[in-house]
């Protein structure tokens, strides 16, 4: 069974750094892209970017390029999302999700983590 | 930039049919996927590749595309179908994911 388990809720102050995680199991980690999706309170889904664990190739949404960094640890099957300096506007729920990817562009998220709630407040 | 347009809300009585639309200029040449998100839960894919259903998704859920509009149709709507629904496509120029704004389905 494919599983994505995310780290727990975080409460941080503006300017602090943060790394949240998404631990996967039940499939070959290096063979599937993993994406990150933001959902601000009461709002819709926003794609942040994807990372390919096989070679750490990344694709970022222009809205999030330079704002966050994605990384992987192939030894543990874990993907990370990192902020170097948080802002209050980063307060949101963050989901990781596995991307089913094909050459015919039938690309969608077939499994999701449970979400990590990040609260940034002074 | 290219975007997908969904109605903010759709209401339907139990047992009736709900149709949720997703409009986009290039959607006729793209593979459309649909997600259901119930309150406090992560999204779940209910339709992928325009009309395919993952295992475990009831046959009441179906998808189609005509022209620049994709449609998620839910037949014999149940109270448990009340949720937010999002459409999604992949755009390869450059590679990126696009979500629609979401539609809140209310079962009356």
């Amino acid at each position: 069974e494919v599983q994505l388990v995310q780290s727990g809720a975080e409460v941080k102050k503006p300017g602090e750094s943060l790394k949240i995680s998404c631990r996967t199991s039940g499939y070959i980690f290096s063979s599937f892209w993993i994406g990150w999706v933001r959902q601000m309170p009461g709002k819709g889904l926003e794609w942040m970017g994807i990372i390919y664990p096989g070679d750490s190739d990344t694709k970022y949404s222009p809205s999030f390029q330079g704002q966050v960094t994605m990384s992987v640890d192939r030894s543990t099957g874990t993907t990370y999302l990192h902020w170097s300096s948080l802002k209050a506007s980063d307060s949101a729920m963050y989901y990781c999700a596995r991307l089913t990817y094909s050459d015919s562009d039938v690309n969608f998220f077939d499994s999701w983590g449970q979400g990590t709630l990040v609260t940034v407040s002074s | 930039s290219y975007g997908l347009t969904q109605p903010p809300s759709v209401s339907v009585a139990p047992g009736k049919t709900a149709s949720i639309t997703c409009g986009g200029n290039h959607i006729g040449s793209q593979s459309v996927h649909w997600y259901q998100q119930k309150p406090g839960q992560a999204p779940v894919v209910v339709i992928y590749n325009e009309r395919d259903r993952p295992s475990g998704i009831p046959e009441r859920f179906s998808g189609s595309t005509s022209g620049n509009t994709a449609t998620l149709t839910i037949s014999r709507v149940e109270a448990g179908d009340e949720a937010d629904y999002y459409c999604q496509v992949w755009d390869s120029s450059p590679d990126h994911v696009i979500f629609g704004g979401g539609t809140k389905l209310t079962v009356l």
Side-chain angles (χ1 to χ4, degrees), chain A residues 6-7 10 17-23 34-39 46-51 58-61 64-73 78-84 86 90 92-96 116 118:
Chain A
Q6 297 187 230
S7 49
E10 300 274 2
S17 65
L18 174 65
K19 182 182 278 190
I20 63 175
S21 66
C22 171
R23 189 178 78 250
I34 293 287
W36 288 93
V37 176
R38 183 176 79 174
Q39 187 168 39
E46 299 175 89
W47 175 66
M48 302 177 71
I50 54 174
I51 184 167
T58 55
K59 302 179 192 291
Y60 289 93
S61 161
F64 293 94
Q65 179 83 50
Q67 308 304 308
V68 295
T69 304
M70 297 178 292
S71 62
V72 300
D73 181 343
T78 303
T79 305
Y80 298 94
L81 184 66
H82 175 251
W83 293 261
S84 58
L86 287 161
D90 292 320
M93 180 71 81
Y94 292 88
Y95 293 100
C96 64
T116 296
V118 174

Side-chain angles (χ1 to χ4, degrees), chain B:
Chain B
S1 62
Y2 179 56
L4 300 176
T5 302
Q6 297 182 236
S9 62
V10 168
S11 298
V12 63
K16 300 298 186 183
T17 298
S19 295
I20 298 172
T21 59
C22 174
N25 287 340
H26 311 300
I27 213 166
S29 60
Q30 295 172 311
S31 181
V32 182
H33 320 292
W34 291 92
Y35 302 89
Q36 175 194 67
Q37 185 181 32
K38 296 183 178 179
Q41 298 183 20
V44 172
V45 60
V46 292
I47 292 289
Y48 65 95
N49 197 20
E50 184 182 349
R51 59 181 67 243
D52 293 328
R53 273 178 294 104
S55 61
I57 301 301
E59 292 183 8
R60 300 185 297 104
F61 288 80
S62 63
S64 63
T65 299
S66 178
N68 292 333
T69 302
T71 302
L72 173 69
T73 301
I74 309 171
S75 305
R76 303 181 299 282
V77 167
E78 302 173 356
D81 298 331
E82 192 162 276
D84 294 324
Y85 291 86
Y86 296 90
C87 59
Q88 176 249 309
V89 300
W90 174 270
D91 194 319
S92 54
S93 304
D95 286 345
H96 63 287
V97 172
I98 303 173
F99 285 107
T103 299
K104 181 177 181 59
L105 176 68
T106 299
V107 181
L108 301 170

Side-chain angles (χ1 to χ4, degrees), chain A residues 2 5-6 10-11 25 29 33 41-42 52 55 58 62 74 77-78 80 86-87 98 105 107 109 112 116 119:
Chain A
V2 175
V5 179
Q6 297 187 230
E10 300 274 2
V11 179
S25 61
F29 178 61
W33 292 81
Y52 189 69
D55 58 8
T58 55
R74 281 183 281 277
T78 303
Y80 298 94
L86 287 161
K87 302 184 283 288
R98 190 182 80 162
D105 285 353
N107 305 327
F109 295 111
W112 294 66
T116 296
T119 303

